[in-house]
């Protein structure tokens, strides 16, 4: 039997989340005595595929197909891999791709689904997994009653562990059903750090005052290798594009470090960032709710603080 | 063309969650129940589509799997403008149970487009829409931020990890929608509230379906330690602290 991990790649390289998923799967496999099989769909080179062994995979099923994401086609490939490898647990990310595929895979296999998992199973018999609920306001323990299981994991929930495994790479010629959706146009954010994949996020709110004040924020983000984001009022005002909106109705993020600059911390915004390891808040209102959830804070004007951040970050990078 | 909008009945998003009965449940006293925000946007988009000149949409139905307590939420959907409502009379045990109940209704009634919100604000499952489409063996388009019908053909904008897609699909299909599908949810007017009382709300017995999972108990997140404050005039210290103490840079 095996634990199957659906890995994801971006511009030919595996995303960090793939290594997290493998680390997570390895912990499960160590307890259940199964092997970890990684499924890779897309054009990925052999060297890159071999990397997966460093995170606990003992086998990679490589599907060369790189068609646009069609939920039915990809679900079919995953289901075929499950059958081939006699997988009892399927693991994927709780991102847009995972949200698209995990429920379909679950229904196809009649496998109990836990989305938004944040930890390895608390117990195996019964099989209980902790997941996020009420957008991070609480957690709930879910018991899965079926032999097969599907779990989607929230980013940054587990440490990446390197455990070198001898790895075999197998080209997997899955049967492809005909896609019933046809993609007319794709816009890729090429060469950019994806918000949902970023280690550091620099986010601006209404305290930034206007669309014209974003240059220092962008400069700061670039020095840190961070992605930029914003709060809802900012995207509603059109100061920043909608895909940067972080919060309950926008993107849910969980980076290592989140800068909330000029963001007061409405409950809907906090719901979207509460998974961040370290939260830094800068706000001129000392009573802003963001300070209740922040780890580090400055009561002050973003306009004054950002140039100091930039200088200090430049010094730090120059010395490292 | 008939549209079905799946409605989840959830606590208002500003609700403070307080656990009760040895953490086996949360306190529901005083909770305001609302249409799940993403379902509400889905319904708003469906109504806008129906109102377009020469629209092929003839009927918008809403469905909820729930006990009688959820009827005010369905009535609100009717007040906003849905034509009729269906309630499958059962506790929503898990996402699979809900999806399978809705699948039965869709098979019997034949909708062209089924709309679901990308998640419900209670258990954040993001599961019903995808499961439903698989059970019906129809296409699903997820994280949809735009839905258009031009000359009878469906066009969707979809967000993927790392970009966006514009795509076409055949009917019937399930669209799982997110922010952007509609700007603001439509609010019921007094006339709509009056009319909603007369619109049909059909109660159906549940099909015999077994849930695949169950909720055991809840756990509150650990309280954060106090926020460490740094002076505005020494803001650069923040970066050094994040490097040396938090090891985050």
């Amino acid at each position: 039997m095996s634990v199957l991990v659906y890995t994801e790649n971006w511009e030919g390289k595996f995303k960090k989340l793939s290594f997290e998923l493998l680390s997570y799967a390895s912990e499960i496999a160590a307890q259940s005595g199964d092997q970890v099989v990684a499924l890779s769909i897309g054009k990925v080179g052999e060297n890159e595929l071999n990397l997966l062994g460093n995170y606990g995979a003992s086998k990679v099923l490589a599907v060369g197909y790189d068609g646009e994401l069609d939920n039915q086609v990809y679900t079919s490939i995953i289901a075929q891999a499950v059958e081939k490898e006699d997988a009892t647990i399927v693991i994927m990310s709780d991102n847009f791709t995972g949200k698209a595929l995990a429920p379909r895979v679950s229904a196809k296999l009649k496998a109990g689904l836990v989305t938004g998992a944040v930890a390895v199973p608390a117990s195996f018999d019964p099989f209980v997994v902790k997941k996020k609920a009420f957008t991070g306001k609480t957690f709930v323990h879910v018991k899965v009653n079926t032999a097969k299981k599907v779990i989607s994991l929230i980013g940054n929930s587990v440490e990446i562990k390197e455990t070198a495994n001898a790895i075999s790479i197998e080209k997997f010629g899955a049967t492809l059903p005909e896609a019933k959706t046809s993609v007319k146009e794709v816009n890729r954010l090429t060469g950019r750090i994806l918000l949902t994949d970023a280690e550091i996020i620099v986010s601006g709110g209404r305290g930034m005052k206007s669309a014209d004040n974003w240059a220092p924020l962008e400069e700061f983000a670039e020095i840190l290798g961070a992605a930029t984001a914003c709060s809802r009022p900012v995207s509603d005002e059109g100061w920043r594009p909608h895909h940067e909106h972080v919060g309950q109705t926008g993107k849910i993020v969980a980076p290592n470090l989140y800068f909330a600059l000029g963001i007061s911390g409405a409950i809907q915004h906090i719901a979207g960032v509460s998974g961040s390891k370290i939260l830094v808040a800068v706000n001129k209102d000392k009573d802003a709710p963001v300070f209740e959830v922040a780890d580090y804070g400055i009561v002050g004007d973003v306009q004054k603080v950002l140039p100091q951040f930039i200088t200090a970050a430049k010094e730090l990078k120059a010395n490292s | 063309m008939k549209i079905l909008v799946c409605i989840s009945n959830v606590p208002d998003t500003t609700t403070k969650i307080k656990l009760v009965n040895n953490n086996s449940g949360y306190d529901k006293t005083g909770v305001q129940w609302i249409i799940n925000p993403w379902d509400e946007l889905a319904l708003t988009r469906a109504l806008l589509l129906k109102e377009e000149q020469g629209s092929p949409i003839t009927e918008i139905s809403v469905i909820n799997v729930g006990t009688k307590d959820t009827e005010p939420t369905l009535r609100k959907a009717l007040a906003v403008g849905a034509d009729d409502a269906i309630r499958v009379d059962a506790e929503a045990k898990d996402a699979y149970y809900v999806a399978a109940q809705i699948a039965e209704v869709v098979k019997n009634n034949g909708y062209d487009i089924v709309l679901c919100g990308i998640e419900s604000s209670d258990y954040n499952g993001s599961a019903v829409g995808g499961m439903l489409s698989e059970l019906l063996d129809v296409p699903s388009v997820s994280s949809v931020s735009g839905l258009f019908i031009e000359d009878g053909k469906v066009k969707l904008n979809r967000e993927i990890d790392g970009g966006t897609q514009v795509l076409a699909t055949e009917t019937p299909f399930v669209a799982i929608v997110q922010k952007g599908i509609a700007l603001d949810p439509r609010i019921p007017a007094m006339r709509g509230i009056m009319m909603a009382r007369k619109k049909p709300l059909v109660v159906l017995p549940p099909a015999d379906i077994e849930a695949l999972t169950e909720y055991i108990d809840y756990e509150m997140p650990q309280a954060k330690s106090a926020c460490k404050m740094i002076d505005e005039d020494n803001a650069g210290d923040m970066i050094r602290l994040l490097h040396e103490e938090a090891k985050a840079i």
Side-chain angles (χ1 to χ4, degrees):
Chain A
M1 289 194 287
S2 67
V3 179
L4 184 81
V5 173
Y6 173 69
T7 62
E8 289 179 36
N9 51 72
W10 173 247
E11 298 179 333
K13 298 212 176 303
F14 284 111
K15 292 185 187 173
K16 190 191 98 185
L17 67 86
S18 298
F19 307 136
E20 280 178 18
L21 297 176
L22 286 168
S23 302
Y24 182 82
S26 299
E27 278 201 52
I28 293 178
Q31 299 203 41
S32 62
D34 297 324
Q35 66 162 349
V36 176
V37 177
L39 173 65
S40 163
I41 304 179
K43 297 258 180 284
V44 182
E46 189 128 340
N47 286 346
E48 192 69 17
L49 290 171
N50 272 316
L51 271 184
L52 299 178
N54 297 351
Y55 304 95
S58 51
K59 184 176 182 179
V60 181
L61 288 185
V63 180
Y65 175 74
D66 69 344
E68 287 296 330
L69 179 64
D70 174 279
N71 297 353
Q72 271 176 304
V73 173
Y74 277 68
T75 297
S76 170
I77 296 172
I78 295 170
Q80 289 172 57
V82 167
E83 194 181 336
K84 182 177 179 324
E85 295 301 321
D86 191 17
T88 48
I89 303 176
V90 182
I91 293 165
M92 42 186 120
S93 172
D94 189 55
N95 57 7
F96 283 128
T97 310
K99 284 187 207 305
L101 302 178
R104 288 204 79 125
V105 172
S106 158
K108 195 175 187 76
L109 303 173
K110 294 271 178 302
L113 171 68
V114 182
T115 57
V118 293
V120 288
S123 68
F124 283 79
D125 188 18
F127 193 90
V128 177
V129 186
K130 180 167 146 181
K131 71 161 274 168
K132 193 182 73 167
F134 293 96
T135 324
K137 282 190 244 176
T138 182
F139 298 102
V140 62
H141 293 102
V142 187
K143 183 174 151 221
V144 183
N145 294 326
T146 50
K148 283 190 166 57
K149 288 120 184 142
V150 179
I151 300 173
S152 75
L153 184 71
I154 291 188
N156 253 327
S157 303
V158 293
E159 300 283 333
I160 292 176
K161 282 202 192 107
E162 298 215 22
T163 46
N165 267 26
I167 192 165
S168 64
I169 296 170
E170 185 181 328
K171 294 244 183 311
F172 179 40
T175 317
L176 301 172
E178 200 187 329
K180 291 180 196 160
T181 64
S182 59
V183 175
K184 305 289 181 201
E185 207 181 302
V186 187
N187 294 300
R188 273 184 218 292
L189 303 165
T190 40
R192 296 255 294 269
I193 300 160
L194 299 181
L195 199 45
T196 45
D197 218 30
E199 297 271 3
I200 304 177
I201 294 174
V202 182
S203 189
R206 220 199 291 261
M208 295 293 294
K209 300 244 173 58
S210 93
D212 306 328
N213 294 337
W214 242 265
L217 189 149
E218 285 183 323
E219 186 188 351
F220 180 51
E222 198 178 323
I223 298 166
L224 298 181
T228 54
C230 67
S231 65
R232 177 173 175 168
V234 166
S235 67
D236 281 358
E237 288 283 342
W239 296 355
R240 300 296 292 178
H242 278 288
H243 64 76
E244 283 199 358
H245 165 202
V246 161
Q248 183 155 32
T249 54
K251 286 200 177 64
I252 311 286
V253 295
N256 269 330
L257 178 57
Y258 185 86
F259 285 90
L261 307 179
I263 294 175
S264 65
I267 192 164
Q268 291 87 347
H269 187 78
I270 297 307
V273 303
S274 61
S276 309
K277 283 228 173 72
I278 306 280
L279 200 152
V280 176
V282 179
N283 201 289
K284 63 179 182 347
D285 176 7
K286 69 173 173 45
D287 297 320
V290 71
F291 291 118
E292 288 165 30
V293 293
D295 300 281
Y296 296 92
I298 294 176
V299 177
D301 185 352
V302 183
Q303 256 56 260
K304 272 202 221 157
V305 168
L306 256 176
Q308 299 180 62
F309 276 5
I310 289 168
T311 310
K314 273 185 183 160
E315 271 173 32
L316 191 68
K317 291 288 167 187
N319 295 332
S320 62
Chain B
M1 268 184 165
K2 282 162 63 180
I3 299 184
L4 179 69
V5 184
C6 304
I7 301 280
S8 192
N9 177 57
V10 298
D12 176 52
T13 50
T14 57
T15 305
K16 287 223 158 73
I17 301 297
K18 200 178 126 212
L19 303 184
V20 292
N21 298 333
N22 272 333
N23 298 340
S24 65
Y26 63 94
D27 191 359
K28 290 175 181 162
T29 44
V31 168
Q32 284 272 2
W33 295 89
I34 59 166
I35 303 176
N36 177 45
W38 292 274
D39 303 345
E40 200 175 24
L41 291 176
L43 175 59
T44 303
R45 183 64 197 147
L47 293 167
L48 289 169
L49 282 173
K50 191 183 169 204
E51 287 157 9
E52 279 175 7
Q53 198 149 30
S55 171
I57 312 292
T58 51
E59 194 184 312
I60 297 169
S61 306
V62 290
I63 188 168
N64 168 260
V65 177
T67 58
K68 201 169 181 357
D69 299 341
T70 70
E71 282 193 9
T73 297
L74 280 176
R75 285 280 172 213
K76 189 186 166 200
L78 292 172
V80 169
D83 298 299
D84 58 85
I86 301 161
R87 179 171 68 82
V88 178
D89 187 22
E91 286 274 357
K93 295 193 181 87
D94 77 343
Y96 180 81
Y97 182 85
V98 170
Q101 296 294 350
I102 297 174
E104 290 302 313
V105 176
V106 174
K107 278 178 203 161
N108 291 333
N109 293 10
Y111 299 96
D112 304 282
I113 301 174
V114 181
L115 301 180
C116 297
I118 191 166
E119 66 171 58
S120 62
S121 57
D122 49 4
Y123 296 102
N124 313 127
S126 305
V128 170
M131 288 177 167
L132 174 61
S133 61
E134 187 63 33
L135 293 169
L136 296 170
D137 194 25
V138 300
S140 58
V141 185
S142 44
S143 43
V144 170
S145 55
L147 168 61
F148 311 92
I149 302 174
E150 286 160 10
D151 303 324
K153 294 215 166 60
V154 177
K155 200 186 88 179
L156 301 119
N157 297 340
R158 170 197 204 183
E159 191 162 358
I160 51 173
D161 291 299
T164 54
Q165 289 179 342
V166 178
L167 47 84
T169 190
E170 55 188 55
T171 56
F173 70 95
V174 176
I176 301 151
V177 310
Q178 60 155 347
K179 183 188 152 72
I181 187 77
L183 280 180
D184 293 303
R186 193 170 285 192
I187 293 160
M190 187 46 84
R191 195 174 113 83
I193 295 168
M194 303 296 283
M195 279 167 65
R197 292 185 192 154
K198 294 188 191 126
K199 287 181 179 172
L201 192 162
V202 180
V203 180
L204 298 175
D208 186 18
I209 284 149
E210 218 168 311
L212 308 180
T213 61
E214 54 191 290
Y215 298 128
I216 307 289
D217 56 11
Y218 297 76
E219 183 185 323
M220 291 310 272
Q222 281 181 335
K224 277 240 175 191
S225 48
C227 180
K228 197 170 204 168
M229 301 307 288
I230 285 125
D231 192 71
E232 182 187 15
D233 297 321
N234 302 317
D237 289 349
M238 175 75 83
I239 303 304
R240 287 181 280 279
L241 267 177
L242 290 172
H243 175 65
E244 286 156 19
E245 186 180 274
K247 310 219 181 301
I249 295 181

